[in-house]
Amino acid sequence: MSSVESHQEQLSQSDPSPSPNSCSSFELLDMDTGSLYEPVSPHWFYCKIIDSKETWIPFNSEDSQQLEEAYGSGKDCNGRVVPTDGGRYDVHLGERMRYAVYWDELASEVRRCTWFYKGDKDNKYVPYSESFSQVLEETYMLAVTLDEWKKKLESPNREIIILHNPKLMVHYQPVAGSDEWGSTPTEQGRPRTVKRGVENISVDIHCGEPLQIDHLVFVVHGIGPACDLRFRSIVQCVNDFRSVSLNLLQTHFKKAQENQQIGRVEFLPVNWHSPLHSTGVDVDLQRITLPSINRLRHFTNDTILDVFFYNSPTYCQTIVDTVASEMNRIYTLFLQRNPDFKGGVSIAGHSLGSLILFDILTNQKDSLGDMDSEKDAPNIVMDEGDTLTLEEDLKKLQLSEFFNLFEKEKVDKEALALCTDKDLQEMGIPLGPRKKILNYFRTRKNLMGINRPTLQPASGVTISNILKEPGFCSKTNATGNGDYLDVGIGQVSVKYPRLIYKPEIFFAFGSPIGMFLTVRGLKRIDPNYKFPTCKGFFNIYHPFDPVAYRIEPMVVPGVEFEPMLIPHHKGRKRMHLELREGLTRMSMDLKNNLLGSLRMAWKSFTRAPYPALQASETTEETEAESESSSEKLSDVNTEETPVTVKEEVPPINVGMLNGGQRIDYVLQEKPIESFNEYLFALQSHLCYWESEDTVLLVLKEIYQTQGIFLDQPLQ
């Protein structure tokens, strides 16, 4: 103990007056022995249950100051609510409880802390209760004022605290004595250190978040309740994502922050797993689950079966309704709590969550977009008289080239009105014309009062409704409700709810969208297709992610090209990738040079013999010409590959799904991951929450819509 005390005394003499609201890790600092009494600076903490153990976490400096001001305002604390953590939590001062605002979470205890003791199994300090901290402070004040130490106190939990001097204050756990009439606390056991004031304990206290919110992003999770290898919830993972974004704003948007052009981006989680499994399906599954390998079967029921639930029309409706209604509810509540918010909204989905959002976005109906499409093609709606022939109808739709095909198949207007999307697809009609025809005849039937099975109209000439279910074959149900879809196996699809806002960008992390669309029977996405209400779409994935699939090959199926490589957040490529590319380039150069040399040797070996004396001049000229030609060929061959490597890839038209920009973006694997891609496959699917490269791409694309760019463009 003496060495520890002397070390602490040296620290206190080097910096005797630390700031209580410092935004860094506090060291063990104490006041000098002979100093006068100064009131302790309180700091507010809240309690979280982590791994079945209570952990006290400090509020950031701004929130703690606001709580202290509300506490010391002299007003009644009952009913007083203080928003904290960027408005995501509310602290009820009277109850000393902290409640989540936008999602369901157990309330946590809040405490105004001044005195701490070191925990049992770790080095984290635990605050005393407010009432006992006040007793300790009063005792400490008397000891300092009167210079009388060796004060012994007993806590309500029968713990013994002894104030030996300002440098040495210890805490003893209660140990039962041998008295048969009752136990009496003694000073036995290992003593624990007691500290006064948050500045004297080692704890990280952050500075807080910018008040201004520039953009709102909803984040939808994938299968199961856990979102990473540490089995954390979507709320905890999004907290990490938000923390990374705040750090990157300080490092990569420093100029914009200094000029007060930007604040921050708010990320809010959307949970659909809990409402789905609260429907009673878990009880039904438990009745039919085998008793063997219990943990594995429980994991399957709780996680992997979410994929099958989404393919079930009953539970798919629950999932879609939950996601859409949660986003609408949170958006409305967010506007109520932030009435000055003028920014945009984007959505992000991980794994299956991205597919859910893709289906919701595909089935949105934009009233403005519908008006624009009608303005662009006013001849789609048929006159009430319906006196036009099929050839005239196709001419109005600018699809006259298909008239001969319909005539060959003996399809007239009545037969065409009964055709489904699948029928037209089998006839070889492309996607865009199919949607025009089906939308045209559906409109005509509504005007003529004919209630026959038809495809639900999409907004414009798009794939918006054929992406709903695997069959892409639309029929009304028995009640004549056109919002349901026959998928060919007796199921009906869901009715997709409408979002009350228009997302600006859709980010998909580790997304299986491409695979699901292919399994549903869709081979190609129309290059002209775009979401009815969303302008941007980024498919972001790790190269080793086993769940991720590309989207661009479905838009441009006949062209092979690489996805866009996401730059490292510190600039350039990772060192091992540059080394790999350099070695590849060097091996190609050596290969080309070697082939050129072998080609020249083979030509000289197989050259026809010439007369030695009769045509010596002609021979020399011929050899010179042949050598020069071979050198030219070898030069061309050796230069072909390096030139193609160095040349910039010409721009590829990947359609309008992302406004003409590239869609697929791949992360750079870490050096350790490149040793064995199978070993890191699962981790690769769960890496996005703490990936600086992913977060920086999201921030860059969001702020580009506001005309704000990175301080230095990444290469």
Side-chain angles (χ1 to χ4, degrees), residues 1 8 116-118 125 169-171 191-195:
M1 288 295 293
Q8 294 179 359
F116 307 84
Y117 67 93
K118 187 170 288 190
Y125 281 85
M169 295 176 285
V170 293
H171 170 113
R192 302 179 185 178
T193 306
V194 175
K195 292 295 178 182

Side-chain angles (χ1 to χ4, degrees), residues 20-21 40-44 64 68 112-114 198:
N21 291 327
V40 65
S41 297
H43 195 93
W44 292 75
S64 179
E68 185 63 23
R112 182 176 181 264
C113 305
T114 52
V198 71

Side-chain angles (χ1 to χ4, degrees), residues 205-412:
I205 299 179
H206 301 286
C207 296
E209 304 173 8
L211 297 178
Q212 176 185 335
I213 300 177
D214 305 318
H215 202 86
L216 175 63
V217 180
F218 294 114
V219 184
V220 180
H221 65 86
I223 62 174
C227 297
D228 66 355
L229 291 177
R230 286 175 282 177
F231 298 98
R232 297 185 303 167
S233 66
I234 180 63
V235 174
Q236 294 171 301
C237 290
V238 172
N239 286 343
D240 275 354
F241 202 87
R242 187 187 306 108
S243 298
V244 174
S245 73
L246 292 173
N247 294 332
L248 290 175
L249 285 175
Q250 295 177 358
T251 56
H252 291 73
F253 294 87
K254 190 173 182 180
K255 294 180 181 178
Q257 278 197 336
E258 290 176 352
N259 297 332
Q260 297 184 347
Q261 292 178 295
I262 63 173
R264 64 183 175 91
V265 177
E266 180 63 281
F267 297 90
L268 296 179
V270 177
N271 182 11
W272 55 265
H273 181 269
S274 299
L276 170 66
H277 288 263
S278 63
T279 58
V281 65
D282 287 352
V283 178
D284 298 334
L285 284 173
Q286 190 61 35
R287 288 200 300 265
I288 61 175
T289 301
L290 300 182
S292 60
I293 52 174
N294 184 45
R295 292 185 179 180
L296 180 58
R297 295 187 190 277
H298 176 73
F299 173 79
T300 301
N301 292 348
D302 202 33
T303 303
I304 300 178
L305 286 190
D306 286 349
V307 178
F308 299 96
F309 284 139
Y310 189 67
N311 287 325
S312 163
T314 302
Y315 296 106
C316 180
Q317 183 70 66
T318 302
I319 294 173
V320 169
D321 286 345
T322 301
V323 172
S325 62
E326 272 294 285
M327 290 194 296
N328 288 340
R329 179 189 67 82
I330 296 175
Y331 179 68
T332 303
L333 181 58
F334 179 83
L335 292 182
Q336 292 175 358
R337 296 176 62 90
N338 301 273
D340 298 330
F341 176 72
K342 304 297 181 183
V345 182
S346 294
I347 55 179
H350 176 244
S351 189
L352 183 63
S354 63
L355 177 65
I356 298 170
L357 293 177
F358 184 88
D359 289 340
I360 291 176
L361 288 180
T362 301
N363 291 275
Q364 292 299 294
K365 293 226 176 84
D366 183 11
S367 57
L368 297 177
D370 293 341
M371 292 173 61
D372 293 339
S373 62
E374 292 176 3
K375 189 182 300 182
D376 295 338
N379 53 358
I380 289 181
V381 180
M382 176 173 271
D383 297 332
E384 291 187 14
D386 194 19
T387 58
L388 300 178
T389 63
L390 177 59
E391 185 176 6
E392 292 171 334
D393 289 337
L394 294 175
K395 187 175 181 181
K396 291 185 67 175
L397 293 172
Q398 299 178 353
L399 300 175
S400 301
E401 64 270 21
F402 298 104
F403 176 74
N404 293 333
L405 179 62
F406 289 129
E407 193 174 36
K408 179 182 177 181
E409 297 289 339
K410 296 182 180 180
V411 176
D412 55 9

Side-chain angles (χ1 to χ4, degrees), residues 93-146:
L93 274 182
E95 303 176 19
R96 291 292 198 274
M97 298 297 288
R98 173 177 175 264
Y99 297 93
V101 174
Y102 299 108
W103 55 83
D104 292 332
E105 183 180 311
L106 292 176
S108 51
E109 181 185 353
V110 173
R111 188 173 293 178
R112 182 176 181 264
C113 305
T114 52
W115 284 77
F116 307 84
Y117 67 93
K118 187 170 288 190
D120 186 15
K121 296 181 179 180
D122 51 23
N123 291 326
K124 294 182 179 180
Y125 281 85
V126 180
Y128 289 104
S129 65
E130 293 187 33
S131 57
F132 187 66
S133 293
Q134 187 174 357
V135 174
L136 284 171
E137 182 66 19
E138 292 174 354
T139 305
Y140 178 85
M141 180 183 65
L142 290 175
V144 170
T145 304
L146 303 177

Side-chain angles (χ1 to χ4, degrees), residues 570-584:
K570 294 183 179 179
R572 297 178 61 86
K573 293 183 180 178
R574 293 183 184 271
M575 183 62 69
H576 70 288
L577 295 180
E578 290 190 348
L579 180 61
R580 182 191 303 170
E581 289 183 359
L583 292 175
T584 303

Side-chain angles (χ1 to χ4, degrees), residues 503-520:
E504 293 188 4
I505 307 176
F506 168 35
F507 299 98
F509 306 140
S511 172
I513 292 174
M515 181 270 291
F516 270 86
L517 294 183
T518 302
V519 170
R520 292 174 180 179

